[in-house]
Coordinates of all heavy atoms in Angstrom, one line a residue:
N983 N 20.5 -16.1 7.4 CA 19.2 -16.8 7.5 C 19.4 -18.3 7.3 O 19.2 -18.8 6.2 CB 18.2 -16.2 6.6 CG 16.9 -16.9 6.6 OD1 16.7 -17.8 7.4 ND2 16.0 -16.5 5.8
P984 N 19.7 -19.1 8.3 CA 19.9 -20.5 8.1 C 18.6 -21.3 8.0 O 18.6 -22.5 7.8 CB 20.6 -20.9 9.5 CG 20.2 -19.9 10.5 CD 20.0 -18.6 9.7
N985 N 17.5 -20.5 8.1 CA 16.1 -21.2 8.0 C 15.4 -20.7 6.7 O 14.2 -20.4 6.8 CB 15.4 -20.8 9.3 CG 16.2 -21.2 10.5 OD1 16.4 -22.3 10.8 ND2 16.6 -20.2 11.3
R986 N 16.1 -20.8 5.6 CA 15.4 -20.4 4.4 C 14.2 -21.3 4.0 O 13.3 -21.0 3.4 CB 16.3 -20.2 3.2 CG 17.3 -18.9 3.5 CD 18.1 -18.6 2.3 NE 19.2 -19.6 2.2 CZ 20.1 -19.7 1.3 NH1 20.0 -18.9 0.3 NH2 21.0 -20.6 1.3
Q987 N 14.4 -22.6 4.4 CA 13.3 -23.6 4.3 C 13.2 -24.3 5.7 O 13.9 -25.2 5.9 CB 13.7 -24.6 3.2 CG 13.7 -24.0 1.9 CD 14.1 -25.0 0.8 OE1 14.4 -26.1 1.0 NE2 14.0 -24.6 -0.4
P988 N 12.4 -23.6 6.5 CA 12.3 -24.2 7.9 C 11.9 -25.6 8.0 O 11.1 -26.1 7.2 CB 11.2 -23.3 8.6 CG 11.1 -22.1 7.7 CD 11.5 -22.5 6.3
V989 N 12.5 -26.3 8.9 CA 12.3 -27.8 9.1 C 10.9 -27.9 9.8 O 10.8 -27.4 11.0 CB 13.4 -28.4 9.9 CG1 13.1 -29.9 10.2 CG2 14.7 -28.3 9.1
S990 N 10.0 -28.6 9.3 CA 8.7 -28.8 9.9 C 8.4 -30.3 10.2 O 8.9 -31.2 9.4 CB 7.6 -28.4 9.0 OG 7.6 -26.9 8.7
V1000 N 8.0 -26.6 14.2 CA 9.0 -26.1 13.3 C 10.2 -25.9 14.1 O 10.2 -25.3 15.2 CB 8.5 -24.7 12.7 CG1 9.6 -24.0 11.9 CG2 7.2 -24.9 11.8
V1001 N 11.4 -26.3 13.6 CA 12.6 -26.2 14.3 C 13.5 -25.2 13.5 O 13.8 -25.3 12.4 CB 13.4 -27.6 14.4 CG1 14.7 -27.4 15.1 CG2 12.5 -28.6 15.0
L1002 N 13.9 -24.1 14.2 CA 14.8 -23.1 13.7 C 16.2 -23.1 14.3 O 16.3 -23.4 15.5 CB 14.2 -21.7 13.9 CG 12.7 -21.5 13.4 CD1 12.2 -20.1 13.8 CD2 12.7 -21.7 11.9
V1011 N 16.1 -16.2 12.4 CA 15.5 -15.6 11.2 C 15.1 -16.8 10.3 O 15.7 -17.8 10.3 CB 16.7 -14.9 10.5 CG1 16.2 -14.3 9.2 CG2 17.3 -13.7 11.3
A1012 N 13.8 -16.6 9.7 CA 13.3 -17.6 8.9 C 12.4 -17.1 7.8 O 11.8 -16.1 8.0 CB 12.5 -18.6 9.8
N1013 N 12.4 -17.8 6.7 CA 11.5 -17.4 5.6 C 10.1 -17.9 5.9 O 9.9 -19.0 6.6 CB 12.0 -18.1 4.3 CG 13.2 -17.3 3.8 OD1 13.7 -16.4 4.4 ND2 13.6 -17.7 2.6
G1014 N 9.1 -17.2 5.4 CA 7.7 -17.6 5.6 C 6.9 -16.8 4.6 O 7.5 -16.2 3.6
L1071 N 4.7 -20.0 8.7 CA 6.1 -20.3 9.0 C 6.3 -21.8 9.0 O 5.9 -22.5 9.9 CB 6.5 -19.7 10.3 CG 7.9 -19.9 10.8 CD1 9.0 -19.4 9.8 CD2 8.2 -19.3 12.2
G1072 N 7.0 -22.3 7.9 CA 7.0 -23.8 7.8 C 5.6 -24.3 7.8 O 4.7 -23.8 7.0

Side-chain angles (χ1 to χ4, degrees):
N983 180 0
N985 305 295
R986 290 188 286 175
Q987 295 181 351
V989 175
S990 297
V1000 173
V1001 180
L1002 302 177
V1011 177
N1013 287 2
L1071 176 59

